[in-house]
Amino acid sequence: PGQGLDVTVETFFEWVIERTPFGDAVPAIPGATFVDTLGPYIGRKLFTVNTGHASAAYFGYAAGIVKISDAMADDTVAAQVRAVLEETKQLLVAKHGFIEAEQEAYVQKILARFTNPHLPDTVNRVGRAPLRKLSRNERFVGPAAELAERGVTPVALLEAMAAALRFDDAADDEAVELARILAGSTSAEATERITGLAGTHPLFPQVQKLIEVRQAEL
């Protein structure tokens, strides 16, 4: 009490609101974007912001880097993250009809956020809970599976998943559980349990190969 509040904030914000409930009386709110349905924008946020952030964490962790901003200052990591978001951009444009130039601008804005040195986010914090992040409808398997269903084999997203499988922070309960599943299951069992993919899914063989490689390292 009496010490005030010291907070660092970003200039970035995004406020998307469904217009339908307002009928013909859509309010004028500075900075708000009204849309017919939120689904595409929720998907865009998950597969751009969340996918990109987690990718920076896992690639950064693999490179032995502590902070997200330092990871994005590394040319190799930055290129890996950019490649991941190129693939999710491809999906989002095809699935939701976003204008490619607008989605590219959104990607660039998000990448700039990750490079902000004033935000002391660490790869361990952003990468925590790898089992959740590798689950069926989340930021990696979700877009990769949809691309595979469209006949496109993802490359960068699979590389990000491979990096996530190597996130072995002993202080993270899910990372510990992930290692336990990998060590105690066949590659097929581990693939299904970790990702929720059915064995008949077109992405399943690709992920199973990643898991086989990881299991051979343990």
Side-chain angles (χ1 to χ4, degrees):
Q3 296 303 307
L5 188 63
D6 184 7
V7 179
T8 299
V9 298
E10 299 177 86
T11 56
F12 173 86
F13 68 91
E14 183 179 20
W15 192 10
V16 182
I17 304 170
E18 186 177 350
R19 68 162 56 88
T20 308
F22 296 98
D24 296 329
V26 176
I29 303 176
T33 300
F34 287 89
V35 299
D36 292 328
T37 178
L38 289 178
Y41 296 88
I42 293 171
R44 182 173 76 166
K45 187 267 182 186
L46 176 61
F47 293 166
T48 308
V49 180
N50 298 64
T51 302
H53 211 198
S55 296
Y58 294 131
F59 288 134
Y61 182 87
I65 301 171
V66 175
K67 288 176 59 178
I68 291 291
S69 58
D70 290 340
M72 291 302 294
D74 181 279
D75 289 342
T76 299
V77 173
Q80 290 171 312
V81 175
R82 170 71 243 200
V84 168
L85 295 188
E86 186 66 29
E87 289 183 349
T88 61
K89 180 182 75 173
Q90 179 184 355
L91 172 64
L92 291 165
V93 168
K95 181 180 180 180
H96 297 301
F98 287 118
I99 297 172
E100 186 167 355
E102 291 182 359
Q103 178 60 19
E104 176 60 25
Y106 187 78
V107 167
Q108 292 300 328
K109 186 181 295 186
I110 297 308
L111 289 171
R113 291 181 66 194
F114 299 159
T115 65
N116 187 346
H118 299 292
L119 300 177
D121 234 346
T122 66
V123 299
N124 288 69
R125 190 204 73 78
V126 177
R128 67 189 178 190
L131 281 176
R132 176 172 60 82
K133 292 180 171 68
L134 285 167
S135 62
R136 179 63 181 87
N137 297 310
E138 264 283 349
R139 60 207 72 193
F140 295 123
V141 179
E146 290 196 50
L147 284 169
E149 290 162 8
R150 291 169 176 264
V152 177
T153 300
V155 175
L157 279 162
L158 286 167
E159 290 176 353
M161 283 185 246
L165 290 170
R166 292 174 173 80
F167 183 73
D168 58 357
D169 184 355
D172 184 88
D173 290 343
E174 284 199 16
V176 173
E177 177 64 10
L178 173 60
R180 191 189 69 77
I181 293 171
L182 290 169
S185 310
T186 67
S187 61
E189 290 169 344
T191 302
E192 185 172 355
R193 184 167 178 186
I194 292 167
T195 69
L197 288 168
T200 55
H201 194 280
L203 185 67
F204 191 94
Q206 310 296 329
V207 179
Q208 185 176 2
K209 288 178 184 177
L210 301 181
I211 287 179
E212 287 175 351
V213 171
R214 178 58 180 144
Q215 287 176 321
E217 297 170 350
L218 298 175

